[in-house]
Short mmCIF file of all heavy atoms in Angstrom, two decimals:
data_model
loop_
_atom_site.label_atom_id
_atom_site.label_comp_id
_atom_site.label_asym_id
_atom_site.label_seq_id
_atom_site.Cartn_x
_atom_site.Cartn_y
_atom_site.Cartn_z
N LYS A 24 33.76 13.95 65.72
CA LYS A 24 34.41 14.95 66.57
C LYS A 24 33.49 15.38 67.72
O LYS A 24 33.96 15.64 68.84
CB LYS A 24 34.83 16.16 65.72
CG LYS A 24 36.06 15.87 64.87
CD LYS A 24 36.55 17.08 64.13
CE LYS A 24 35.71 17.42 62.95
NZ LYS A 24 36.30 18.47 62.09
N GLY A 25 32.19 15.42 67.46
CA GLY A 25 31.25 15.70 68.55
C GLY A 25 31.24 14.58 69.58
O GLY A 25 31.19 14.84 70.79
N TYR A 26 31.33 13.33 69.10
CA TYR A 26 31.38 12.19 70.03
C TYR A 26 32.67 12.22 70.85
O TYR A 26 32.65 11.96 72.06
CB TYR A 26 31.29 10.89 69.23
CG TYR A 26 31.39 9.64 70.07
CD1 TYR A 26 30.27 9.08 70.67
CD2 TYR A 26 32.62 9.02 70.27
CE1 TYR A 26 30.36 7.94 71.45
CE2 TYR A 26 32.73 7.88 71.05
CZ TYR A 26 31.59 7.35 71.63
OH TYR A 26 31.69 6.21 72.42
N ILE A 27 33.80 12.55 70.20
CA ILE A 27 35.08 12.61 70.91
C ILE A 27 35.04 13.69 71.98
O ILE A 27 35.51 13.48 73.12
CB ILE A 27 36.22 12.87 69.91
CG1 ILE A 27 36.43 11.65 69.01
CG2 ILE A 27 37.52 13.21 70.63
CD1 ILE A 27 37.43 11.87 67.90
N GLU A 28 34.46 14.83 71.67
CA GLU A 28 34.37 15.92 72.65
C GLU A 28 33.53 15.51 73.86
O GLU A 28 33.92 15.76 75.01
CB GLU A 28 33.80 17.16 71.98
CG GLU A 28 33.77 18.39 72.86
CD GLU A 28 33.26 19.61 72.14
OE1 GLU A 28 33.07 19.53 70.90
OE2 GLU A 28 33.03 20.64 72.79
N ASP A 29 32.39 14.87 73.61
CA ASP A 29 31.52 14.43 74.73
C ASP A 29 32.21 13.35 75.55
O ASP A 29 32.11 13.34 76.79
CB ASP A 29 30.19 13.90 74.17
CG ASP A 29 29.36 15.01 73.54
OD1 ASP A 29 29.60 16.19 73.87
OD2 ASP A 29 28.50 14.69 72.70
N PHE A 30 32.92 12.44 74.89
CA PHE A 30 33.60 11.35 75.60
C PHE A 30 34.68 11.92 76.52
O PHE A 30 34.81 11.49 77.67
CB PHE A 30 34.21 10.38 74.59
CG PHE A 30 34.84 9.16 75.21
CD1 PHE A 30 34.11 8.00 75.37
CD2 PHE A 30 36.16 9.17 75.63
CE1 PHE A 30 34.67 6.86 75.94
CE2 PHE A 30 36.74 8.05 76.19
CZ PHE A 30 35.99 6.90 76.35
N ASN A 31 35.48 12.86 76.02
CA ASN A 31 36.55 13.43 76.84
C ASN A 31 36.01 14.23 78.02
O ASN A 31 36.65 14.29 79.07
CB ASN A 31 37.45 14.30 75.97
CG ASN A 31 38.27 13.50 74.98
OD1 ASN A 31 38.50 12.30 75.19
ND2 ASN A 31 38.71 14.13 73.91
N LEU A 32 34.83 14.83 77.86
CA LEU A 32 34.23 15.57 78.97
C LEU A 32 33.73 14.64 80.07
O LEU A 32 33.76 15.00 81.26
CB LEU A 32 33.07 16.44 78.47
CG LEU A 32 33.45 17.67 77.62
CD1 LEU A 32 32.20 18.36 77.09
CD2 LEU A 32 34.31 18.64 78.42
N ASN A 33 33.30 13.44 79.70
CA ASN A 33 32.72 12.51 80.66
C ASN A 33 33.71 11.51 81.22
O ASN A 33 33.35 10.69 82.07
CB ASN A 33 31.55 11.76 80.02
CG ASN A 33 30.42 12.69 79.59
OD1 ASN A 33 30.15 13.68 80.26
ND2 ASN A 33 29.77 12.37 78.48
N ASN A 34 34.96 11.50 80.73
CA ASN A 34 35.96 10.53 81.19
C ASN A 34 37.26 11.26 81.51
O ASN A 34 37.72 12.11 80.72
CB ASN A 34 36.22 9.46 80.13
CG ASN A 34 34.99 8.60 79.85
OD1 ASN A 34 34.76 7.59 80.50
ND2 ASN A 34 34.19 9.02 78.87
N ASP A 35 37.85 10.90 82.64
CA ASP A 35 39.11 11.51 83.07
C ASP A 35 40.31 10.58 82.89
O ASP A 35 41.39 11.02 82.52
CB ASP A 35 39.02 11.94 84.54
CG ASP A 35 37.96 13.02 84.76
OD1 ASP A 35 37.76 13.82 83.83
OD2 ASP A 35 37.34 13.03 85.84
N ASN A 36 40.10 9.28 83.14
CA ASN A 36 41.22 8.35 83.09
C ASN A 36 41.59 7.91 81.69
O ASN A 36 42.68 7.39 81.45
CB ASN A 36 40.91 7.11 83.94
CG ASN A 36 39.65 6.41 83.45
OD1 ASN A 36 38.78 7.04 82.85
ND2 ASN A 36 39.56 5.11 83.71
N VAL A 37 40.69 8.09 80.72
CA VAL A 37 40.96 7.72 79.34
C VAL A 37 40.50 8.85 78.43
O VAL A 37 39.47 9.48 78.69
CB VAL A 37 40.26 6.39 78.97
CG1 VAL A 37 38.75 6.49 79.16
CG2 VAL A 37 40.58 5.97 77.55
N GLN A 38 41.30 9.13 77.40
CA GLN A 38 41.00 10.24 76.51
C GLN A 38 41.11 9.79 75.05
O GLN A 38 41.87 8.88 74.71
CB GLN A 38 41.96 11.41 76.75
CG GLN A 38 41.78 12.08 78.12
CD GLN A 38 40.51 12.89 78.21
OE1 GLN A 38 40.33 13.88 77.52
NE2 GLN A 38 39.60 12.45 79.06
N LEU A 39 40.33 10.46 74.20
CA LEU A 39 40.39 10.24 72.76
C LEU A 39 41.11 11.42 72.13
O LEU A 39 40.77 12.58 72.38
CB LEU A 39 38.99 10.10 72.17
CG LEU A 39 38.05 9.08 72.82
CD1 LEU A 39 36.74 9.00 72.06
CD2 LEU A 39 38.70 7.71 72.90
N SER A 40 42.13 11.12 71.30
CA SER A 40 42.95 12.16 70.68
C SER A 40 42.96 11.96 69.17
O SER A 40 43.30 10.87 68.69
CB SER A 40 44.39 12.13 71.22
OG SER A 40 44.40 12.19 72.64
N VAL A 41 42.58 12.99 68.42
CA VAL A 41 42.53 12.91 66.96
C VAL A 41 43.95 12.90 66.41
O VAL A 41 44.76 13.78 66.72
CB VAL A 41 41.73 14.09 66.38
CG1 VAL A 41 41.74 14.04 64.86
CG2 VAL A 41 40.29 14.07 66.90
N LEU A 42 44.25 11.91 65.57
CA LEU A 42 45.57 11.80 64.94
C LEU A 42 45.56 12.39 63.53
O LEU A 42 46.53 13.03 63.12
CB LEU A 42 46.00 10.33 64.88
CG LEU A 42 46.06 9.59 66.22
CD1 LEU A 42 46.45 8.13 66.00
CD2 LEU A 42 47.03 10.27 67.17
N SER A 43 44.51 12.16 62.78
CA SER A 43 44.39 12.72 61.43
C SER A 43 42.93 12.96 61.12
O SER A 43 42.06 12.21 61.58
CB SER A 43 45.01 11.78 60.38
OG SER A 43 44.31 10.55 60.34
N ASP A 44 42.67 14.01 60.36
CA ASP A 44 41.29 14.41 60.05
C ASP A 44 41.26 14.95 58.62
O ASP A 44 41.78 16.04 58.35
CB ASP A 44 40.80 15.45 61.04
CG ASP A 44 39.33 15.83 60.83
OD1 ASP A 44 38.71 15.26 59.92
OD2 ASP A 44 38.84 16.71 61.56
N SER A 45 40.69 14.18 57.69
CA SER A 45 40.64 14.60 56.29
C SER A 45 39.71 15.78 56.06
O SER A 45 39.87 16.51 55.08
CB SER A 45 40.19 13.41 55.41
OG SER A 45 41.09 12.33 55.52
N SER A 46 38.75 15.97 56.96
CA SER A 46 37.80 17.07 56.76
C SER A 46 38.46 18.43 56.95
O SER A 46 37.94 19.44 56.46
CB SER A 46 36.62 16.92 57.73
OG SER A 46 37.03 17.07 59.07
N ILE A 47 39.58 18.49 57.67
CA ILE A 47 40.27 19.77 57.88
C ILE A 47 40.73 20.34 56.55
O ILE A 47 40.51 21.52 56.23
CB ILE A 47 41.45 19.60 58.85
CG1 ILE A 47 40.95 19.23 60.25
CG2 ILE A 47 42.28 20.88 58.91
CD1 ILE A 47 42.05 18.97 61.25
N THR A 48 41.39 19.52 55.73
CA THR A 48 41.86 19.97 54.42
C THR A 48 40.69 20.39 53.54
O THR A 48 40.76 21.41 52.84
CB THR A 48 42.65 18.85 53.73
OG1 THR A 48 43.74 18.45 54.56
CG2 THR A 48 43.17 19.30 52.38
N LEU A 49 39.61 19.62 53.58
CA LEU A 49 38.44 19.93 52.76
C LEU A 49 37.80 21.25 53.20
O LEU A 49 37.43 22.08 52.36
CB LEU A 49 37.44 18.79 52.85
CG LEU A 49 36.50 18.58 51.66
CD1 LEU A 49 37.28 18.35 50.39
CD2 LEU A 49 35.58 17.41 51.93
N ASN A 50 37.68 21.46 54.50
CA ASN A 50 37.09 22.71 54.99
C ASN A 50 37.99 23.91 54.69
O ASN A 50 37.50 24.99 54.37
CB ASN A 50 36.85 22.60 56.50
CG ASN A 50 35.68 21.69 56.84
OD1 ASN A 50 34.71 21.62 56.10
ND2 ASN A 50 35.76 20.99 57.95
N GLN A 51 39.30 23.72 54.80
CA GLN A 51 40.22 24.81 54.49
C GLN A 51 40.14 25.21 53.02
O GLN A 51 40.15 26.41 52.68
CB GLN A 51 41.65 24.41 54.85
CG GLN A 51 41.92 24.33 56.35
CD GLN A 51 43.32 23.82 56.65
OE1 GLN A 51 44.00 23.25 55.80
NE2 GLN A 51 43.75 24.03 57.90
N ARG A 52 40.04 24.22 52.14
CA ARG A 52 39.94 24.55 50.71
C ARG A 52 38.59 25.17 50.38
O ARG A 52 38.52 26.05 49.51
CB ARG A 52 40.17 23.28 49.88
CG ARG A 52 40.33 23.56 48.40
CD ARG A 52 41.09 22.46 47.70
NE ARG A 52 42.49 22.41 48.11
CZ ARG A 52 43.40 21.60 47.55
NH1 ARG A 52 43.03 20.81 46.56
NH2 ARG A 52 44.63 21.60 47.95
N THR A 53 37.54 24.74 51.07
CA THR A 53 36.23 25.37 50.87
C THR A 53 36.26 26.83 51.32
O THR A 53 35.70 27.71 50.65
CB THR A 53 35.15 24.60 51.65
OG1 THR A 53 35.15 23.23 51.23
CG2 THR A 53 33.78 25.19 51.38
N GLN A 54 36.92 27.09 52.43
CA GLN A 54 37.05 28.46 52.91
C GLN A 54 37.87 29.31 51.94
O GLN A 54 37.54 30.48 51.68
CB GLN A 54 37.70 28.47 54.29
CG GLN A 54 37.81 29.85 54.92
CD GLN A 54 38.44 29.80 56.30
OE1 GLN A 54 38.81 28.74 56.79
NE2 GLN A 54 38.58 30.96 56.94
N LEU A 55 38.93 28.72 51.37
CA LEU A 55 39.73 29.43 50.39
C LEU A 55 38.90 29.78 49.16
O LEU A 55 39.03 30.88 48.59
CB LEU A 55 40.94 28.58 50.00
CG LEU A 55 41.89 29.17 48.94
CD1 LEU A 55 42.50 30.47 49.44
CD2 LEU A 55 42.96 28.16 48.58
N LEU A 56 38.04 28.85 48.73
CA LEU A 56 37.16 29.11 47.59
C LEU A 56 36.22 30.26 47.89
O LEU A 56 36.03 31.15 47.04
CB LEU A 56 36.37 27.84 47.26
CG LEU A 56 35.27 27.97 46.20
CD1 LEU A 56 35.87 28.33 44.85
CD2 LEU A 56 34.45 26.69 46.11
N ALA A 57 35.63 30.27 49.07
CA ALA A 57 34.70 31.36 49.44
C ALA A 57 35.42 32.70 49.49
O ALA A 57 34.90 33.72 49.02
CB ALA A 57 34.04 31.04 50.77
N GLU A 58 36.64 32.72 50.04
CA GLU A 58 37.39 33.97 50.12
C GLU A 58 37.76 34.47 48.73
O GLU A 58 37.65 35.67 48.44
CB GLU A 58 38.64 33.76 50.96
CG GLU A 58 38.36 33.51 52.44
CD GLU A 58 39.62 33.18 53.21
OE1 GLU A 58 40.68 33.04 52.57
OE2 GLU A 58 39.55 33.04 54.46
N ASN A 59 38.19 33.56 47.85
CA ASN A 59 38.55 33.97 46.49
C ASN A 59 37.33 34.48 45.74
O ASN A 59 37.43 35.43 44.93
CB ASN A 59 39.18 32.80 45.74
CG ASN A 59 40.61 32.54 46.17
OD1 ASN A 59 41.12 33.22 47.04
ND2 ASN A 59 41.24 31.55 45.57
N ALA A 60 36.18 33.85 45.96
CA ALA A 60 34.96 34.29 45.29
C ALA A 60 34.58 35.70 45.75
O ALA A 60 34.21 36.56 44.92
CB ALA A 60 33.82 33.32 45.58
N ALA A 61 34.70 35.95 47.04
CA ALA A 61 34.36 37.28 47.56
C ALA A 61 35.33 38.34 47.02
O ALA A 61 34.90 39.43 46.60
CB ALA A 61 34.39 37.26 49.08
N ILE A 62 36.63 38.01 47.00
CA ILE A 62 37.61 38.96 46.48
C ILE A 62 37.40 39.19 44.99
O ILE A 62 37.48 40.33 44.49
CB ILE A 62 39.03 38.45 46.77
CG1 ILE A 62 39.30 38.41 48.27
CG2 ILE A 62 40.08 39.33 46.07
CD1 ILE A 62 40.61 37.76 48.65
N GLY A 63 37.11 38.11 44.25
CA GLY A 63 36.87 38.25 42.81
C GLY A 63 35.68 39.13 42.50
O GLY A 63 35.74 39.99 41.61
N MET A 64 34.58 38.92 43.22
CA MET A 64 33.40 39.76 43.00
C MET A 64 33.69 41.22 43.34
O MET A 64 33.26 42.14 42.63
CB MET A 64 32.24 39.24 43.86
CG MET A 64 31.67 37.90 43.41
SD MET A 64 30.38 37.31 44.51
CE MET A 64 29.17 38.62 44.34
N LEU A 65 34.46 41.42 44.41
CA LEU A 65 34.79 42.80 44.81
C LEU A 65 35.66 43.49 43.77
O LEU A 65 35.42 44.66 43.41
CB LEU A 65 35.50 42.77 46.16
CG LEU A 65 35.90 44.13 46.75
CD1 LEU A 65 34.65 44.98 47.00
CD2 LEU A 65 36.69 43.96 48.04
N LEU A 66 36.65 42.76 43.22
CA LEU A 66 37.52 43.35 42.20
C LEU A 66 36.74 43.69 40.95
O LEU A 66 36.93 44.76 40.34
CB LEU A 66 38.66 42.38 41.88
CG LEU A 66 39.72 42.19 42.97
CD1 LEU A 66 40.71 41.11 42.56
CD2 LEU A 66 40.44 43.49 43.27
N VAL A 67 35.87 42.76 40.51
CA VAL A 67 35.05 43.03 39.33
C VAL A 67 34.17 44.25 39.56
O VAL A 67 34.03 45.13 38.69
CB VAL A 67 34.19 41.79 38.99
CG1 VAL A 67 33.15 42.13 37.92
CG2 VAL A 67 35.08 40.65 38.50
N LEU A 68 33.55 44.30 40.73
CA LEU A 68 32.64 45.41 41.03
C LEU A 68 33.38 46.74 41.07
O LEU A 68 32.91 47.76 40.51
CB LEU A 68 31.95 45.14 42.36
CG LEU A 68 30.82 46.10 42.77
CD1 LEU A 68 29.69 46.05 41.76
CD2 LEU A 68 30.30 45.75 44.16
N VAL A 69 34.57 46.77 41.67
CA VAL A 69 35.31 48.03 41.81
C VAL A 69 35.86 48.50 40.47
O VAL A 69 35.66 49.67 40.06
CB VAL A 69 36.46 47.85 42.83
CG1 VAL A 69 37.39 49.07 42.81
CG2 VAL A 69 35.89 47.65 44.22
#
């Protein structure tokens, strides 16, 4: 994704467009885990 961003900045007549990205699902689930952990700790503490 860093390479795609640099390529699109340096080229006008041709562009790279992401069609699918498996890391998005993985990052979203990791974020969900972190949020649930924070909420769980807060509930236990309260």
Side-chain angles (χ1 to χ4, degrees):
K24 285 185 284 189
Y26 178 87
I27 292 174
E28 185 177 352
D29 293 339
F30 185 93
N31 290 337
L32 288 175
N33 298 325
N34 296 271
D35 296 329
N36 59 333
V37 59
Q38 293 288 295
L39 308 184
S40 306
V41 177
L42 303 178
S43 63
D44 184 2
S45 300
S46 66
I47 294 177
T48 303
L49 207 58
N50 287 326
Q51 288 176 343
R52 190 157 292 186
T53 303
Q54 183 179 0
L55 179 62
L56 172 64
E58 292 174 354
N59 284 1
I62 295 173
M64 291 177 61
L65 181 61
L66 290 175
V67 169
L68 188 61
V69 170

